[in-house]
């Protein structure tokens, strides 16, 4: 009888012993659980802001700074030091979500990048709030990404310098050939082979110039150095000017080039950039248009200026229509062997820099219509950094 009473109402010292033994058991199972983790892991006392249990990999890192030691600190993904209280308390809160939080952990010996996941443990017997923190080592992955970014930046820089250096000699070559052509036109008799070779030279230099200009533009886009220089511009007049430069090519390819721009359409745009947009769209229409008539249309509404380049050539299949606007993408099998797949990427970047859009309606064997819509409000010119990331601001 007395025994039964003792069992239901244990003396305080017996209750204390049971609690202690429960705690010891729980601690042992937590320790076993931690040691099973292949990655650094710890149980942290959130309120005290310190680790109460660490597994072997966590000791090896080491995730806890030795008392009084300097040079141990954590930074976030922007490189800012995580301060304002104990790190484990910060992580126990911030790393709760499904993807946790990424930190760099610096020690005097080296730096790690970890994806940290935190899970609160159910409180028992009035124990403090404990949290399980696991540290997935993603250092190698992040270092490889940084190296790749560095290599890409070096490539873009080389690309930019090389194309820039090509521009000047090409320009003087273009001038010389044009001069030679004009001078021969004044001669009484010109041998046919001379006219032929001068025409070929002219066309090839024009092509090379377009290619170099596209390469330069792409490197500006990639390096976020695209800058707009807007002015009040009549797009109908610009269309006339660009089309006149295509007359030789249209004649050589026997392609009728029709300009449909009945009235001025004025907005605030960068002349050179929109010239490049039209040049790329018209070049494509010529090259993939199979000699069928091409129409360049310019229209205006109170809010928008619309440029349309329509051809009746090979057309583009639905599976390729999105992809061809990406860098180095070409639709198979219609593209030219020597093409780079840059033109439409540039068109889209330049149009979006003007806060505009470009769309495509096309069907294989029927033809394609590229439509560029540009706002007519005056542009607030964004900083070079902002432009390649997306549309600019409107005032
Ligand atoms: N008007 C068009 N008709 C049919 N296909 C087209 C037309 N315009 C573009 N394409 C397809 O889209 C691809 C991408 O065009 P884009 O102008 O970006 O590059 P490219 O013409 O191949 O090369 P680049 O313009 O750099 O010399 C082309 O290779 C071609 O397959
Ligand atoms: Mg092209």
């Amino acid at each position: 009888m007395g025994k039964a009473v003792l069992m239901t109402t244990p003396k305080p010292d017996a209750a204390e012993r049971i609690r202690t033994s429960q705690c010891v058991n729980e601690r042992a199972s937590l320790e076993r659980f931690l040691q099973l983790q292949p990655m650094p892991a710890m149980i942290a006392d959130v309120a005290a802001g310190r680790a109460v249990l660490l597994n072997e990999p966590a000791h090896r890192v080491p995730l806890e700074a030795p008392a009084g030691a300097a040079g141990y600190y954590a930074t976030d993904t922007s490189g800012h030091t995580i301060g304002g209280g104990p790190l484990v308390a910060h992580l126990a809160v911030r790393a709760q979500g499904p993807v946790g939080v990424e930190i760099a952990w610096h020690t005097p010996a080296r730096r790690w990048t970890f994806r940290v996941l935190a899970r609160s443990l159910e409180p028992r017997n009035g124990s403090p709030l404990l949290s399980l923190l696991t540290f997935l080592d993603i250092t190698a992955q992040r270092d490889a990404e940084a190296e790749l970014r560095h290599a890409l930046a070096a490539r873009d820089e080389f690309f930019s310098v090389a194309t820039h250096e090509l521009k000047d000699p090409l320009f003087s070559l273009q001038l010389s050939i044009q001069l030679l052509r004009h001078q021969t036109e004044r001669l009484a008799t010109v041998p046919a082979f001379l006219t032929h070779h001068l025409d070929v030279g002219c066309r090839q230099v024009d092509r090379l110039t377009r290619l170099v200009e596209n390469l330069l533009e792409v490197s500006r886009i990639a390096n976020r150095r695209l800058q707009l220089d807007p002015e009040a511009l009549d797009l109908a007049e610009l269309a006339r000017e660009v089309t006149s430069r295509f007359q030789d090519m249209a004649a050589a390819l026997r392609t009728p080039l029709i300009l449909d721009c009945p009235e001025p359409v004025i907005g605030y745009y960068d002349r050179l950039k929109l010239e490049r947009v039209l040049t790329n769209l018209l070049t494509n229409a010529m090259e993939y248009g199979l000699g069928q008539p091409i129409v360049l249309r310019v229209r205006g509404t109170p809010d928008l200026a619309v440029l349309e380049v329509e051809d009746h050539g090979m057309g583009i299949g639905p599976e390729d229509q999105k992809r061809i606007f990406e860098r180095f993408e070409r639709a198979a099998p219609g593209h030219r062997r020597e093409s780079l797949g840059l033109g439409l990427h540039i068109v889209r970047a330049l149009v979006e820099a003007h806060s505009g859009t470009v769309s495509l309606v096309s069907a294989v064997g029927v033809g394609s219509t590229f439509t560029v819509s540009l706002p007519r409000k005056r542009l607030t010119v964004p900083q070079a950094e902002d432009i390649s990331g997306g549309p600019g601001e409107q005032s």
Side-chain angles (χ1 to χ4, degrees):
M1 182 79 176
K3 210 175 176 186
V5 172
L6 268 178
M7 289 286 284
T8 48
T9 51
K11 286 180 188 164
D13 59 338
E16 190 55 45
R17 273 206 310 278
I18 290 170
R19 240 197 17 236
T20 310
S21 83
Q22 274 175 346
C23 284
V24 168
N25 283 345
E26 272 174 22
R27 187 184 169 95
S29 53
L30 276 178
E31 258 170 356
R32 269 200 304 280
F33 173 73
L34 269 194
Q35 295 311 340
L36 283 176
Q37 302 304 311
M39 64 187 83
M42 64 166 69
I43 303 288
D45 178 336
V46 180
R50 62 183 179 83
V52 289
L53 282 176
L54 291 131
N55 68 356
E56 188 49 35
H59 278 295
R60 263 186 271 129
V61 166
L63 276 178
E64 246 196 346
Y72 291 81
Y73 63 98
T75 48
D76 61 17
T77 45
S78 325
H80 297 128
T81 305
I82 301 171
L87 179 65
V88 291
H90 171 91
L91 293 176
V93 176
R94 289 297 177 84
Q96 284 286 342
V99 291
V101 73
E102 185 176 322
I103 62 159
W105 175 240
H106 306 255
T107 71
R110 60 165 288 194
R111 171 190 58 80
W112 279 267
T113 308
F114 289 119
R115 177 151 298 283
V116 187
L117 285 169
R119 295 293 175 266
S120 303
L121 301 182
E122 242 173 65
R124 296 256 186 92
N125 301 326
S127 70
L129 179 60
L130 297 177
S131 205
L132 165 69
L133 301 177
T134 54
F135 295 76
L136 180 64
D137 185 355
I138 53 170
T139 314
Q141 180 192 337
R142 288 290 178 258
D143 285 354
E145 284 166 6
E147 230 170 86
L148 190 62
R149 267 198 305 277
H150 187 71
L152 286 176
R155 184 208 59 185
D156 285 342
E157 188 59 29
F158 167 77
F159 195 56
S160 162
V161 171
T163 41
H164 210 269
E165 290 302 308
L166 276 174
K167 230 185 141 186
D168 290 347
L170 197 56
F171 183 62
S172 75
L173 185 63
Q174 192 177 29
L175 268 185
S176 299
I177 293 188
Q178 274 168 4
L179 211 65
L180 205 58
R181 210 180 184 200
H182 290 146
Q183 281 165 347
T184 52
E185 274 164 10
R186 288 204 207 107
L187 297 176
T189 52
V190 186
F193 76 90
L194 191 58
T195 321
H196 170 74
H197 287 301
L198 273 175
D199 283 350
V200 172
C202 241
R203 276 205 304 277
Q204 293 304 325
V205 167
D206 280 354
R207 246 190 64 200
L208 208 51
T209 308
R210 266 202 295 275
L211 191 70
V212 168
E213 278 169 352
N214 271 353
L215 288 173
L216 259 178
E217 205 66 70
V218 157
S219 81
R220 282 190 205 110
I221 295 166
N223 293 322
R224 297 173 173 264
R225 286 195 201 132
L226 190 59
Q227 242 168 336
L228 292 191
D229 185 13
E231 59 181 294
L233 189 67
D234 177 6
L235 294 185
E237 184 244 305
L238 183 79
R240 270 191 290 277
E241 195 184 309
V242 175
T243 314
S244 72
R245 287 189 227 141
F246 275 84
Q247 290 310 336
D248 282 356
M249 190 177 182
L253 294 171
R254 295 178 207 284
T255 301
L257 179 52
I258 301 150
L259 188 59
D260 175 11
C261 46
E263 47 194 38
V265 177
I266 296 170
Y268 290 87
Y269 310 114
D270 183 312
R271 170 185 280 274
L272 287 178
K273 303 295 184 206
L274 290 193
E275 248 181 57
R276 191 140 301 134
V277 167
L278 282 180
T279 303
N280 273 303
L281 291 178
L282 284 175
T283 308
N284 283 350
M286 291 277 171
E287 282 168 348
Y288 307 109
L290 306 177
Q292 298 303 309
I294 294 167
V295 185
L296 168 55
R297 239 173 250 116
V298 185
R299 292 286 186 276
T301 70
D303 296 328
L304 287 177
V306 181
L307 302 165
E308 238 173 51
V309 178
E310 178 186 322
D311 70 61
H312 301 274
M314 58 182 63
I316 303 158
E319 67 288 0
D320 292 324
Q321 292 184 9
K322 224 174 144 201
R323 187 170 63 78
I324 52 172
F325 286 93
E326 301 303 326
R327 194 159 63 149
F328 302 123
E329 287 290 348
R330 306 176 304 179
H335 65 80
R336 294 169 287 122
R337 253 183 308 134
E338 69 275 23
S339 73
L340 287 177
L342 291 177
L344 292 177
H345 172 70
I346 292 168
V347 165
R348 189 179 61 180
L350 298 184
V351 168
E352 288 182 352
H354 281 87
S355 298
T357 56
V358 54
S359 61
L360 165 65
V361 175
S362 186
V364 174
V366 178
S368 311
T369 302
F370 287 86
T371 305
V372 169
S373 304
L374 299 164
R376 295 186 77 175
K377 285 189 225 160
R378 188 185 280 270
L379 282 175
T380 305
V381 184
Q383 294 299 304
E385 279 291 309
D386 301 339
I387 292 176
S388 53
E393 288 288 304
Q394 293 288 300
S395 66

